């Protein structure tokens, strides 16, 4: 067997192992947790995300680092701008493990907001705030925001949903 | 957040003892750091981040704020011993281009 054939064989083998991991990883598992809109809960929120990532295939450590960052920022935005720092409101976080990645959805009843245009933070020019949305958009492979007053949403809940692909060796 | 500090060769080194610097504790952390800068009168500062495992945008904002304050006074801020999650965060927002980062405190001290 020459080097090229060996390389092709390795690729096929890697793909088969990846598919096997996905099929054994408990796909389309769904769970949710409810938190009060208090920044003291950030640690618990990150722990919840960590638990989600333990069930995912691929590089769980990298997935956990990035997903914790993104969900932490979304949670902070809801507390600060949705609920205006009122601490006893509700934020529900739900996750769904799929074949190729994980959906994490945050529901809240706070004020809806129109997401501003995302720009790279101007750290050289003196910016010290406003990195949160940029971080979320850098990390998420897909992001959707449906305000509670939209026709499709209803029932008084804003919905922020992100999708993050799993990290496999060849990524 | 509790912090340790020490002074060596006219350089103030501050070590945050918590594992997280986030929107909850960043304002208080900034207050403590500014108080230490004021009471010691030092404008060469190192943050030893060996215990820190998580930082969010509020924590980054605190670092930037301290950096600007020291630069305006002719001083400098250096960061040492970043764990992997902190490095990832810095790379996402390109902070590794803004801060002088060193693998350990000794290298950071020698860089002044």
């Amino acid at each position: 067997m020459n080097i090229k054939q060996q390389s092709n064989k390795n690729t096929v083998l890697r793909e088969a192992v990846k598919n096997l991991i996905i099929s054994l990883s408990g796909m389309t598992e769904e769970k949710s947790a409810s938190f009060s809109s208090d920044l003291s809960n950030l640690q618990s929120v990150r722990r919840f995300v960590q638990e989600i990532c333990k069930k995912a295939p691929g590089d769980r450590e990298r997935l956990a680092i990035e997903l914790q960052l993104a969900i932490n920022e979304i949670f902070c935005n809801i507390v600060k701008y949705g609920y205006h720092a009122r601490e006893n409101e509700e934020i529900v976080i739900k996750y769904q493990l799929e074949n190729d990645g994980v959906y994490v959805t945050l529901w809240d009843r706070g004020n809806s907001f129109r997401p501003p245009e995302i720009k790279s933070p101007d750290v050289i020019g003196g910016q010290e705030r406003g990195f949160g949305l940029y971080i979320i958009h850098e990390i998420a492979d897909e992001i959707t925001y449906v305000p509670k007053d939209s026709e499709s949403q209803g029932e008084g809940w804003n919905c922020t949903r992100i999708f993050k692909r799993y990290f496999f060796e060849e990524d | 957040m509790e912090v340790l500090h020490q002074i060596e060769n006219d350089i103030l080194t501050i070590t945050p003892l918590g594992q997280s610097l986030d929107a909850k504790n960043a304002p208080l952390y900034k207050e403590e750091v500014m108080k230490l800068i004021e009471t010691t009168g030092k404008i060469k500062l190192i943050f030893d981040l060996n215990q820190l495992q998580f930082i969010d945008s509020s924590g980054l904002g605190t670092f930037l704020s301290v950096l600007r304050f020291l630069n305006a006074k002719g001083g400098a801020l250096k960061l040492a011993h970043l764990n992997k999650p902190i490095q990832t965060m810095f790379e996402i927002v390109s902070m590794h281009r803004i801060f002088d980062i060193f693998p350990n405190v000794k290298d950071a001290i020698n860089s002044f």
Side-chain angles (χ1 to χ4, degrees):
Chain A
M1 188 183 290
N2 63 31
I3 293 171
K4 194 175 174 188
Q5 282 172 324
Q6 181 66 50
S7 169
N8 285 343
K9 194 182 167 193
N10 287 344
T11 306
V12 170
L13 193 62
R14 215 169 28 236
E15 197 59 29
V17 170
K18 179 174 150 182
N19 289 335
L20 182 65
I21 291 169
I22 290 172
S23 67
L24 292 172
S25 64
M27 289 169 299
T28 64
E29 179 181 323
E30 280 188 35
K31 264 185 191 158
S32 64
S34 177
F35 301 87
S36 61
S37 54
D38 185 339
L39 293 179
S40 302
N41 284 327
L42 282 172
Q43 191 103 36
S44 307
V45 169
R46 294 196 295 266
R47 211 171 294 133
F48 178 67
V49 174
Q50 178 108 42
E51 290 305 311
I52 298 172
C53 296
K54 281 182 187 168
K55 298 168 188 171
D59 185 343
R60 296 185 187 97
E61 188 189 0
R62 186 168 161 196
L63 183 70
I65 290 172
E66 296 202 12
L67 211 50
Q68 281 181 319
L69 267 175
I71 303 304
N72 184 95
E73 296 297 335
I74 295 171
F75 191 93
C76 284
N77 280 352
I78 293 171
V79 171
K80 288 180 187 170
Y81 307 115
Y83 287 128
H84 297 286
R86 294 193 304 274
E87 293 180 350
N88 293 317
E89 307 288 348
E90 190 177 15
I91 300 170
V92 176
I93 305 179
K94 182 177 166 185
Y95 74 86
Q96 200 176 324
L97 292 166
E98 295 289 348
N99 287 351
D100 53 346
V102 55
Y103 284 100
V104 184
T105 312
L106 289 86
W107 303 86
D108 72 274
R109 290 174 176 275
N111 293 340
S112 306
F113 62 94
R114 196 176 293 276
E117 191 187 339
I118 308 301
K119 293 177 187 162
S120 298
D122 178 19
V123 283
I124 295 167
Q127 186 177 339
E128 289 173 12
R129 302 180 64 184
F131 301 123
L133 276 176
Y134 177 76
I135 290 168
I136 297 162
H137 280 260
E138 279 297 293
I139 290 173
D141 291 303
E142 289 169 28
I143 178 159
T144 50
Y145 178 75
V146 185
K148 62 186 178 186
D149 52 4
S150 69
E151 282 179 23
S152 60
Q153 194 59 30
E155 298 185 22
W157 290 87
N158 301 302
C159 170
T160 311
R161 186 186 215 206
I162 68 167
F163 175 71
K164 181 71 187 164
R165 276 193 199 91
Y166 304 132
F167 292 104
F168 290 105
E169 202 181 326
E170 64 267 35
D171 290 339
Chain B
M1 180 193 289
E2 208 180 329
V3 298
L4 275 181
H5 78 278
Q6 65 172 38
I7 296 168
E8 186 182 336
N9 297 343
D10 207 34
I11 298 163
L12 172 65
T13 300
I14 296 179
T15 310
L17 294 180
Q19 291 205 334
S20 310
L21 186 58
D22 60 21
K24 178 66 185 169
N25 60 10
L28 194 59
Y29 174 74
K30 182 179 169 184
E31 211 175 283
E32 286 172 14
V33 168
M34 297 309 281
K35 209 185 294 174
L36 274 171
I37 293 171
E38 195 184 329
T39 52
T40 60
K42 304 298 174 198
I43 53 169
K44 292 176 186 170
L45 176 61
I46 297 168
F47 282 146
D48 175 5
L49 304 180
N50 76 83
Q51 309 220 9
L52 205 62
Q53 295 295 335
F54 182 84
I55 185 168
D56 69 3
S57 60
S58 301
L60 279 183
T62 297
F63 286 179
L64 280 172
S65 177
V66 173
L67 174 73
R68 300 233 155 79
F69 178 82
L70 292 172
N71 284 351
K73 291 189 171 301
L77 169 64
K78 317 247 175 176
L79 306 181
H81 207 143
L82 273 65
N83 290 311
K84 195 175 167 189
I86 313 298
Q87 281 176 30
T88 302
M89 172 61 152
F90 271 61
E91 282 160 19
I92 288 170
V93 286
S94 303
M95 286 283 174
H96 57 298
R97 298 199 318 231
I98 305 295
F99 288 97
D100 289 336
I101 298 171
F102 298 88
N104 54 59
V105 173
K106 195 178 166 203
D107 287 356
I109 288 175
N110 291 337
S111 74
F112 277 103

